[in-house]
Structure formats: structure tokens, C-alpha cells
Amino acid sequence: MSVEEVRPLLAAFASLQPLPRPRLRLLEVPDADLSGRGPASTWELRLREEFLSRLGPPLLPLPESLESSRLAFALQRSPRYMGEGFREAAQELFNSPAFVLSVSLSIAVYFAAWLVPEPLFSKAFAAALTVRLSLLVGLVELSHLALACLSLYQEAEAASTPQELEAVAERFGKSMGGTTLRVLLVVASMGLARLVPQVPEGGIWSLLGPARITPEGQVILESVAAAQAVADGSLIITGVAAGTACGGLALCASNAAGEPSGGGAKLSTRYGKPHTRKNPPHNEAIEEELARREAAGHIDLRKNKAQVTAKRRGVEDPEPVKGIRFRKPDVSSVRPDGIRHNTNYVSNHQDLKRELEAFDSMMRADPRAIHELYLLDGTLVRRYVPPGVSFP
């Protein structure tokens, strides 16, 4: 891994955090406070909310502020003990407070799940990520990385001096390799995929894209609803939305129609009936986004309902495409400042042209609203923000 390869992501992570302020930290003092006590900053809370909404709640206790925690300090010091060939890139990465925070969240949320004898990833995004990482590095390697992360967490929490934390950082740094560092980078960046641009293509990143065919003729899954690693080294996958990758690594529970077996995966219906039972990840993405908006104070939360203005007046496209005058945004809400915010998701890349047509149609129908189009992995395809409207 080279510095040039990670610099685009470093720039993206840098945009998530405020400008640095001069401060004095006496880390050499034996009793220096690195406990993470005290309220988290606004930007840290924003990153926490985004990460947890995509990968699920933390399985390990988190300090009030990760930014000033022992875990963050140990992560920042660990690159100096990493191997040649990727140490320089690691040092650049771990100098980014936003990246260190996202890795800390990765440990508490994602890698902690691997410590259960038969871990179950029921969050659709986490399940799909698990399948792709398992195909690359294997279940055993992933569990070893999770164990290294757990040791880092436990030892950092137990450390009482900077010297002890330095030893913790050294052990973790020496346990890392180029591939495991890439895995950390993938989880950290994909956990913030809505805020960070898509990771570079090639190498490990290629497994996070759309479905593709293996040399053996198997199809790598585009999305799944749940993934469970079992004792015999297999990965049980349910809620398959696009193809299967069965035998060897993955045992898929699906039928020819693409519906999950056993009556189907459980679909969230807090904000309305399922978007479609044939594509659980799409439905879960909608539910998660609506939950995020409700927490942010949005009102008039609408799931797959006819497009309306901020004042709930029906609208139609003045230039209908193929006779379609009305659209149904996957997600629609009204921000606290009174601006309507509509979002759609693309599950299949083959449907992108159709979804772009729908995006333009919705924009023509209500040019005073914010409109967005995302891939299911969180990659932004297009966004429209009306003139004079702020968008964080």
C-alpha cells in the first residue's frame, strides 16, 4: 500500500473534521488523562451516528469521547511498528483523527462481532461487507484480525500510563500486515460511505462493487440480508438479492426467485410496509435512512409514497417520461428548516438509467426540494440542492 493510494481517502476523511486548534497534551506525564471522559465533539457525534446506522450498535463499551481515548492514542502510535512496504501509508492514515475514530468504531461495532463463536451479521450492509471480505482474506484471517483488535481494545482500556499504551501500540502494530491494514481501511471507509467518496478501484476494493462471476462460474453476491460464520468454516448467507456464491466458503439459503428461504428474511416495517420482499437490503436502507432523519428532527417521514412538496401538496412532472407523471421517493421527509428532502436508491446497476430518469422527473416536479440518488453501498450518484439552501 502506497501513500499515493490512500491520499484521496485522506483528503475525504480530512473534510469530516474541523480545522485543528493548537493545544498542549502532556502525554509524557504518567497520569495523563486518556480515558475518553467528557462530552464528544459535534463532528465525532456525527461520525458515530453515521457509522452505527450502517453497521449496527456497538458490541463493546465506548468512552464518551473516542477522540481523546486510550484506544485512539494506541492506534495513532501503532504505525511506527508496522512492516516495511505499508508503514508510510499507515502513518499517513493514522495521523487523520477522522480515520482513527472510524477504525475505533470498526473495532467496537464490526470486528467485535467476530469474537462470538458463530458470529451473525444481521445488518444488511454488514452482512454484504462480510461476504466480500471473507472471499478475499478468508474467515480464519478475519477472525484473527478481530482477535488482534479485541486485544488492542482490552489492553488499551487497562493501560494506565503512556508507556503502557506505547507497548499496546507496539503489539498491535507488529500484528498488522498489508492485507489486514487494507481490511481495516475498507471497514472504516465503508462505515462512512455516505460521507466519504467510494474507495479506489482494484485490489481488495474490487470486491465491494457489483456482482461478478468467478472463474468457477459462481456469482459473487451483490447484496444479502444476513451472514453467519459457523464452526466448519462456512458462511451461511440469507436474503440473497443478486445471484449466489455457494459451495466452499458460502452456503446460500435462497430460492430461484431470489427470495430468502424459510419464509423470507425479517423486514423492518417501522416506517411502512416493505418496499419489496425480493430485495431486503433495499428495504433496510430505506428504514435506516428514515430512522437517521427522525433522529435529526425531520418530520413528515414518508416511505415509498407519492411525491409531495414540503407543504404536502401533490406534484407531477411537467415533462413526463413514458407517461409517468408521479414518482414515489424511497425516502422523503421535511428538514427542521422546512425543506423537503427526497432520496432514492439503486439496487441494480442495470437500472441506473431508469433511476436517473426518475431523479430528473422528481427534480422537475419539485425544484424547491433536495433530491438524492444513491447506490445501496452508500455511493452518491447524483444530488440536487436548490439555490440558497444549505446542505451539510
Side-chain angles (χ1 to χ4, degrees):
M1 182 186 296
S2 66
V3 174
E4 289 71 22
E5 185 179 0
V6 300
R7 275 179 177 161
L9 272 175
L10 284 171
F13 274 110
S15 69
L16 303 180
Q17 61 203 46
L19 293 175
R21 296 179 180 177
R23 61 176 178 171
L24 180 64
R25 296 180 65 185
L26 301 177
L27 300 180
E28 294 77 15
V29 177
D31 295 326
D33 185 10
L34 292 170
S35 62
R37 289 192 293 266
S41 60
T42 302
W43 75 273
E44 178 180 330
L45 292 175
R46 178 191 179 204
L47 265 62
R48 282 200 194 205
E49 178 185 352
E50 177 65 20
F51 202 100
L52 300 183
S53 71
R54 293 178 69 75
L55 291 174
L59 302 178
L60 296 173
L62 291 177
E64 293 179 59
S65 173
L66 277 167
E67 185 182 7
S68 58
S69 67
R70 298 183 182 94
L71 178 60
F73 176 78
L75 284 169
Q76 289 169 336
R77 305 287 286 184
S78 65
R80 63 179 62 190
Y81 303 106
M82 295 182 185
E84 295 286 347
F86 64 95
R87 182 189 302 144
E88 186 179 357
Q91 289 173 332
E92 292 276 350
L93 287 168
F94 285 92
N95 275 334
S96 164
F99 177 74
V100 170
L101 175 59
S102 63
V103 171
S104 300
L105 290 168
S106 300
I107 292 172
V109 176
Y110 180 74
F111 291 108
W114 283 96
L115 305 173
V116 180
E118 292 192 352
L120 172 65
F121 300 89
S122 57
K123 198 84 167 179
F125 184 82
L129 182 60
T130 300
V131 173
R132 286 159 174 77
L133 292 177
S134 299
L135 286 168
L136 181 72
V137 301
L139 298 178
V140 174
E141 288 77 7
L142 270 177
S143 63
H144 285 169
L145 174 58
L147 184 59
C149 289
L150 175 66
S151 297
L152 171 69
Y153 174 90
Q154 292 175 330
E155 293 174 0
E157 286 297 300
S160 58
T161 67
Q163 292 77 16
E164 291 178 355
L165 278 173
E166 189 72 34
V168 172
E170 180 178 0
R171 285 190 289 274
F172 180 73
K174 289 181 177 179
S175 72
M176 295 294 293
T179 298
T180 49
L181 179 59
R182 284 179 180 268
V183 172
L184 273 182
L185 180 52
V186 167
V187 180
S189 57
M190 296 304 286
L192 300 176
R194 290 178 181 274
L195 306 178
V196 176
Q198 190 175 18
V199 292
E201 296 182 356
I204 190 173
W205 323 113
S206 63
L207 290 179
L208 300 172
R212 60 198 72 236
I213 299 176
T214 68
E216 295 77 19
Q218 297 176 337
V219 178
I220 298 174
L221 305 179
E222 180 175 348
S223 55
V224 297
Q228 182 177 15
V230 296
D232 65 358
S234 299
L235 195 65
I236 306 297
I237 302 169
T238 59
V240 177
T244 58
C246 303
L249 169 75
L251 303 175
C252 304
S254 64
N255 58 29
E259 293 258 15
S261 62
K266 184 178 180 180
L267 298 174
S268 302
T269 56
R270 178 181 177 185
Y271 297 97
K273 62 182 181 179
H275 180 271
T276 171
R277 294 191 177 278
K278 293 184 178 181
N279 192 347
H282 196 131
N283 181 76
E284 299 310 301
I286 294 172
E287 289 276 331
E288 291 165 13
E289 177 62 20
L290 285 167
R292 189 161 37 243
R293 294 190 187 183
E294 184 176 30
H298 288 220
I299 61 173
D300 194 23
L301 304 169
R302 301 167 64 87
K303 176 182 178 181
N304 194 34
K305 293 184 178 180
Q307 182 181 358
V308 295
T309 66
K311 295 183 179 180
R312 303 193 70 174
R313 295 175 181 172
V315 292
E316 63 179 52
D317 184 0
E319 303 173 17
V321 179
K322 299 177 182 178
I324 302 176
R325 293 182 175 275
F326 298 94
R327 300 288 178 173
K328 293 184 177 182
D330 288 338
V331 174
S332 184
S333 63
V334 176
R335 304 193 316 179
D337 62 358
I339 302 298
R340 172 68 66 179
H341 187 175
N342 298 317
T343 299
N344 275 342
Y345 295 95
V346 184
S347 297
N348 190 329
H349 288 255
Q350 295 179 349
D351 297 331
L352 187 56
K353 180 180 178 181
R354 184 189 66 193
E355 293 294 340
L356 287 171
E357 290 178 348
F359 178 92
D360 291 337
S361 178
M362 291 168 55
M363 190 173 65
R364 289 191 297 267
D366 186 7
R368 296 183 178 181
I370 296 170
H371 302 282
E372 293 182 299
L373 180 62
Y374 286 97
L375 302 181
L376 275 189
D377 67 2
T379 302
L380 178 66
V381 177
R382 186 173 294 181
R383 174 185 291 142
Y384 167 78
V385 180
V389 173
S390 64
F391 192 90

